[in-house]
Amino acid sequence: GYGNRGKFTSVHDSLFVRTFFFEQQKQQYAIITFDLIMLHTDLKNAIIKKVQENNQFKNIKIYFSATHSHSSIGGWAKGTLAKFTLGGYDQKIVDLLVEKTIKTIEKASQKTELVQFTYSKTAVPDYVKNRIVDTAYADTYLRTIFFKTPTKTATLTTFSAHPTNLHFRSTEVSADYPAYFIQEMEKTVDFSMFCAGGIGSHCVSKDLEQKHQNIQEYGKELAKCVSVSYTHLRPTRRTPISYAV
C-alpha cells in the first residue's frame, strides 16, 4: 500500500475475508470484502474461476470490496505498478486468498435464514475530512445496512476515511481502524462487515499519531455511532441470508 518499504516482520492484527450470502428466487448472490488495499482483477478472476468449478455456485453473482488498509499484504497482482506498490506477485498468496474465500462462500451457503433488513445513514463530521483541501467537501456519513434473522443480527457499513494511519515504513501487518470497528460492532451484533467508501480525497480528521492504541479508539468510537442508530431501526423486508468469516 505504500510501495518500497520491504517485507513485513510481524502481525499486529489478523486479516480476514468476510462474506454475506443471499438467495432470492433461486438466484445466489455474495458480497465479499477483504482486509486488503483493493481487489485486483488478477485475484478477482482467480476467485471467480474457482467458484465456477463448483456446480453449486456456477451462476452466483459476486460483489467484491475491500477495507483499503494500506498496512495489509500484497503479492496478489501482476505488472510493473504492482511490483513497486504491492510487492510483486506471489502465487502462494493468491492461492491462499482464493482458498479462504471459497471456504467462506461454502460456509455461508450452508446456513441461510429468512432475513429482514433496513438502512441507516449517520453523519459523523468529527471523524473524517477532505485531505486535499481542509475546507472542501467531505462525505461525512457512515452508511449501514442492518440485517436480522430469527437467530442472528449483522451489519454492513461503508465509510470514506482512508485507513492509512500507520507509518508508511511500518513492517507490521494490520487492517488499521476497520479491524477495531468490526471488533466493537461484534459486541452488539453477531457479524459485521466493513467496505471502503469513496475514499480518494478523504482521511480521518483526528491526529492518531500513527499509534495502534489511538487507531483502536477511533475504530471503537465509529462503531458506537452506528450501534446507537441500530436501536432506533425496524427491519422492513425478507430474503434468505447467511454470512461467514
Side-chain angles (χ1 to χ4, degrees):
Y2 289 117
N4 187 23
R5 63 173 166 185
K7 296 182 178 180
F8 285 113
T9 58
S10 62
V11 176
H12 182 270
D13 51 275
S14 297
L15 306 176
F16 291 91
V17 53
R18 294 169 176 267
T19 296
F20 274 115
F21 181 87
F22 305 85
E23 288 183 297
Q24 190 171 47
Q25 297 179 346
K26 299 184 179 180
Q27 176 64 60
Q28 299 171 330
Y29 304 89
I31 301 174
I32 305 174
T33 189
F34 301 81
D35 285 331
L36 299 174
I37 189 171
M38 60 178 284
L39 191 83
H40 192 273
T41 302
D42 293 333
L43 178 56
K44 181 199 74 172
N45 289 343
I47 293 169
I48 291 175
K49 180 181 178 182
K50 193 67 176 179
V51 168
Q52 291 180 339
E53 290 176 2
N54 187 330
N55 288 331
Q56 181 183 352
F57 307 119
K58 204 149 188 82
N59 297 314
I60 191 172
K61 298 183 185 298
I62 302 176
Y63 178 87
F64 292 101
S65 187
T67 60
H68 197 68
S69 171
H70 279 237
S71 294
S72 181
I73 59 172
W76 34 261
K78 298 176 181 178
T80 303
L81 182 61
K83 180 178 180 180
F84 288 101
T85 61
L86 300 168
Y89 186 81
D90 188 331
Q91 189 62 50
K92 291 181 180 178
I93 291 177
V94 173
D95 291 344
L96 175 66
L97 290 170
V98 171
E99 175 192 350
K100 297 297 184 181
T101 303
I102 298 302
K103 283 184 177 179
T104 66
I105 297 173
E106 292 174 343
K107 181 180 177 181
S109 68
Q110 294 171 2
K111 53 177 184 178
T112 58
E113 295 182 292
L114 282 178
V115 67
Q116 297 175 302
F117 63 91
T118 191
Y119 168 80
S120 169
K121 187 170 76 170
T122 305
V124 287
D126 293 335
Y127 291 87
V128 60
K129 67 179 182 180
N130 189 303
R131 64 178 183 170
I132 308 301
V133 180
D134 282 348
T135 57
Y137 169 80
D139 179 0
T140 62
Y141 289 101
L142 278 164
R143 294 173 173 86
T144 303
I145 303 175
F146 302 89
F147 302 96
K148 183 176 177 61
T149 74
T151 61
K152 302 288 184 181
T153 55
T155 59
L156 187 162
T157 299
T158 68
F159 191 54
S160 58
H162 250 91
T164 53
N165 302 296
L166 295 172
H167 193 273
F168 73 96
R169 291 297 185 192
S170 171
T171 57
E172 287 185 300
V173 171
S174 175
D176 208 291
Y177 79 81
Y180 304 115
F181 176 89
I182 289 171
Q183 288 174 16
E184 188 68 20
M185 286 297 297
E186 290 183 346
K187 292 179 181 179
T188 54
V189 299
D190 297 294
F191 178 79
S192 182
M193 177 183 284
F194 182 95
C195 299
I199 56 178
S201 61
H202 290 54
C203 67
V204 303
S205 58
K206 298 175 179 285
D207 182 9
L208 304 182
E209 299 178 350
Q210 300 174 339
K211 295 180 180 179
H212 282 291
Q213 181 178 350
N214 297 344
I215 296 169
Q216 181 177 10
E217 288 304 314
Y218 178 87
K220 286 183 175 182
E221 289 175 13
L222 269 183
K224 289 174 181 177
C225 293
V226 177
S227 298
V228 169
S229 300
Y230 186 77
T231 62
H232 298 290
L233 296 167
R234 292 294 180 268
T236 57
R237 297 180 184 273
R238 290 182 174 273
T239 193
I241 186 178
S242 189
Y243 52 79
V245 60

